[in-house]
Amino acid sequence: MALLHFFFASMKQAQWFSHTLRGWFLKNGRTLPWRNNPTPYQVWVSEIMLQQTQVVTVIPYYERWIQVFPDVKSLAGAAIEDVLKLWAGLGYYRRARYLHEGAKVIVEQYCGEFPHEIRELRKIPGIGAYTAGAIASFAFKQDVPAIDGNAERVLSRFFGILGDIRGTERRVLESIASEVASFGHCSDVNQAIMDLGASLCGKSAQCAQCPLADKCYAFEHQMTESLPAPKVRIEKTDEFRVALRLISPFGKTLLAKRSKDALLGGLWEFPMVTLSRGRGKEHRDNALDLLRESRDARWRAWCHEKNLCLKEWHNTEKYISHTFTHIQMRVDLDEGLCNNEPAILPNGDYEDFRWVEYDEIGTKYPISTLMKKIMRMSVLGES
Ligand code: SF4
């Protein structure tokens, strides 16, 4: 319902917004070295440089870069050391690596030409939704939105999106941005939104000088300071698990496949048990106490239930932390030997169990990043 409401209420607003803002931009837009009929490569380089860096800092770097690497082929053919040297001082070096990697992908997989479709652009390392929108609209003149932090601020204030635009209200924001884009001239309008967000509609809005003030929701309702709404932080659930790496008399390791509907469904791992799940400091303290207790009886009962003859086990004293969207997980690792290699029936979170060679883990049997971290802790190594 919220989506429909915004859709109908915003159509006329969107047209007025697009038209008015473009008019303002044509007179007041910033002159920047990457704005004069840019190639997709120039848009890409400038947008990556502008992430977390101010325009005034980027300009000399951009100009030097374009002299040394004027196109995607020259960048793809360069040594990474030279790329990083040119980037030195700009910070966040991962961006330079992404540009270099991305250039190679464009040369090797797209014959040196940027793909025109947003979906294809997003397959290139370092190109996310915003950068793809910027390349498509600025270089290819497509009428698609490009939503960066400035656009989030301007759109949420002008259209009065009151909820979390990075969470529950994201679809509303994207729907409005598409509505604005449908009125055309996106190359100008997207840049206009950015320029307004970087100047008059910055953190503290200067509404008196803004061309949009007549119809702006935040201005009318005196909400410029409270929009965009701060991100709603969801307290994560803490989950404490123990994994058991179990080795058979034939040197095989027991792997379990997570059920399709479980977290990380379909992936393989050392069998785990969840000791505790909850929120808050008291829960965490209790869970840590539980981890300090001996798990001997627990593992023996677990093995007995699966017809496993547990010979011995030890606590590696190692654990990893792993963050999911809603869960903060700690996994401690225990390791043990058993005297048999029985077939084990599906059970609980697991739809299959197999005895496997160690080097098949992650090759024949796909595993999660969590499992990769757990394997790095294994004291028994590849035995
Ligand atoms: S009127 Fe104020 S809040 Fe609204 S878009 Fe303009 S600067 Fe931003």
Side-chain angles (χ1 to χ4, degrees), residues 126-144:
I127 297 189
Y130 164 70
T131 309
I135 293 170
S137 60
F138 303 159
F140 297 136
K141 309 297 179 204
Q142 291 174 21
D143 288 327
V144 293

Side-chain angles (χ1 to χ4, degrees), residues 144-159:
V144 293
I147 308 176
D148 68 347
N150 285 324
E152 286 176 352
R153 188 166 54 252
V154 172
L155 293 172
S156 64
R157 284 176 175 170
F158 181 82
F159 290 96

